Amino acid sequence: LPLIDIAQTDLSRHEFAFLSACDTAAGDLKTPNEVIHLAAGLQFAGVKSVIGTFWSVNDHTVRHLVEAFYKNFCGDGKMDSRRAARALHRAVQSL
């Protein structure tokens, strides 16, 4: 699925996306000055909060980060995208 198709899709009913795969917030090596990448494409499409990565991370670290993130993000059973930044900060601190 081309990035342009994602960016032109109406995803405004979605509040949050966590892209735990490597380099999801990094541009293409052929066009390093471009700001369009998968995470940005989802935001252009209307997703309110998107977390992506700029680098490669090993699977164990990502698994720990994602578990810690979701524990902080929706530990009370409710997902609230306004808590994403703080939940990510706490998850990174736990590494």
Side-chain angles (χ1 to χ4, degrees):
L1 182 62
L3 184 55
I4 190 69
D5 291 343
I6 293 170
Q8 292 176 342
T9 302
D10 179 11
L11 299 175
S12 59
R13 71 180 190 276
H14 299 283
E15 286 192 34
F16 179 72
F18 193 118
L19 307 172
S20 61
C22 298
D23 303 313
T24 55
D28 189 336
L29 290 176
K30 298 175 199 164
T31 55
N33 294 325
E34 297 293 326
V35 295
I36 298 296
H37 43 72
L38 182 55
L42 289 171
Q43 286 189 304
F44 283 127
V47 179
K48 292 169 184 56
S49 294
V50 180
I51 293 175
T53 62
F54 284 116
W55 54 85
S56 297
V57 182
N58 76 43
D59 290 341
H60 175 74
T61 302
V62 169
R63 184 175 52 248
H64 178 80
L65 179 75
V66 170
E67 288 172 358
F69 172 82
Y70 278 106
K71 180 180 177 185
N72 289 297
F73 186 57
C74 51
D76 63 356
K78 297 179 183 178
M79 187 181 82
D80 183 349
S81 62
R82 295 173 296 180
R83 289 188 271 190
R86 181 171 301 276
L88 181 60
H89 178 75
R90 288 180 178 157
V92 169
Q93 286 181 321
S94 75
L95 293 177

